[in-house]
Amino acid sequence: MHTPRSVRSTPQLRLVSHPRLSRFFAATSFLAIALAVLPARSDDLHGLGPIHTYISNGWDTLTRSMNECGTVVDTKLAATSVMYLPADFPEPSALTALQQQCKFQVKHLPAVIHHPGEVDANALNPPGLLYLENKYVVPGGRFNEMYGWDSYFIIRGLVRDGRLDLARGMVENFFFEIAHYGNVLNANRSYYLSRSQPPFLTSMILSVYDAQKAAGRDDKDWLARSYAFAVKDHNMWIQAPHLAGSTGLSRYFDRGDGPSPESVKDETGHYRDVAAFFLQHPELDDHYLVRKDPGKTTPHTFGAQYTVRICDSGRDSTPKIAQAGERPDCEIAEEVGLSDDFYKGDRSMRESGYDISFRFGPYGAGTENFAPVCLNSLLYKTEKDLQRISQALGKNEDAKEWAQQAYERKAIVDKYLWNEKAGMFFDYDFVKQQQSTYPYVTVFFPMWAGLASPEQAKAVMKNLSVFEQPGGLVMSPKETGGQWDFPYAWAPNQLVADEGMRRYGFNEDADRVSYKFLSTVAENFRRDGTIREKYNAATRSSETAVTAGYHINIVGFGWTNGAFLNLLHDLPKPMVERLAKEQDASPPVAAKAGSPSTN
């Protein structure tokens, strides 16, 4: 993989403040896009009105700005909140004034960042928000950060809902991240400087560009500027440390070390649970546990140490404190911790966005050893998008080279990730040099990206029953306790699968599966008036019982809102009318949980 000649010598990209769109364009573009993209809301569809209102109002409720105290001050922290500016970026006057009002600190990063990993995120203490110029929409009410791959699905919703100015501002924020923080970030928080998230940047760019063009503004200058940033983003994924060995494919990889700060903060007891799992399943412990004998020096590890005790069988689970002359209920057997390798895999899993799943081994511990289907499908789409953008800009030689890169990537994906016998795409463990056997809903990414051949798409669709549940597509048929495994359905994967099926002509299947998910969201909205980040696909409920990692089912929710609007837009009118009529009925009683193999 290589970069086209015309962009190889692109100078270091730095962003400066620039005027916003004129009020006239903002007003006219809003009206034009609203008329162009919103589905008809006739009287017979009034049943969906409350959901449309919830989503429309939600864009404002979930919008954050660096000029507001509610964004820059983290009320969850006792210490004074900190916002970090790029080392070479002057402090905006509005931010200076806001400090006095909101009582937070502004600090500059210790060095100019030209490439990812140049600043040690762990050395930034206390952690804080990273400055962005424009307003942005967050996933849910508890968040103040703009997230990487969440934002693509949010932007799709904003464009569908006629909020083009906000969508474009979010894309501009990603340009700011690339210019000043080295790459598109997991989110604009200092401890995320070590990693990115799945690459949807060109998809975001084209969503906004196409909407602008439909509104009568073919902004080639903005497209040309976008192209330079998109090329830099693509380059990050095709260089070390993101190379998947010698395969020619890419992998997820976090440059940081030790426990993930967001896990320590939000996932109480998670790493202790991981250590206990590997103690109970030693056959799955691939050097993830570090052991030491009591009283001896602890081997070098990051993170907490845990005490393993041996207790008398049948005793109370909470041993009593031994009094003088008494024998204690339990004896310390050993102390354990988690290895550097485990934390590297854990962090890299979080770059993938699928935290937590057992797809890359227990608790995602082997993530950095895999070439994933989703990532390499997204890079294929990025290359095809860059081909299209090059052609639109008259860069014909670039377009040829991007087409060649996409062609080469498809051949490598077919070699390593396609399983002809199973009729599915699987992730590839390039360390063990073997394909995974873990069925995962990312099998639809090659269809969404246009990478799959018609024959491959047909074979994948024969396996649809592996994932289809009463409430939509489940992440995997494996019940692990992780929120990205059975029995959960997530909006972004519903939209990717739906659009992938439609791309290859499987419209009836797409209609059926997307209706299952849409009606699940709608039923739960009728019960409690909210939209959530995930749903139980087996019970069609928003009630969750996650035991591995993050346990909460957040209300909001940005990407569910965006996916709902786009899935609804693609449904045939009779099915939309049916869904609307169901909204006027009493909410049904939640179904009982099914087994992982139930459809």
Side-chain angles (χ1 to χ4, degrees), residues 350-368:
R350 296 170 194 275
E351 181 172 79
S352 80
Y354 294 102
D355 50 312
I356 290 169
S357 164
F358 280 40
R359 166 190 178 193
F360 300 122
Y363 293 93
T367 301
E368 80 277 22

Side-chain angles (χ1 to χ4, degrees), residues 207-218:
S207 291
V208 171
Y209 173 75
D210 288 341
Q212 290 180 151
K213 190 174 180 180
R217 190 185 187 209
D218 188 358

Side-chain angles (χ1 to χ4, degrees), residues 4 48 92 274 334 513 521 525 592:
L48 293 173
V274 174
E334 61 179 341
V513 172
V521 175
F525 182 85
K592 293 182 179 180

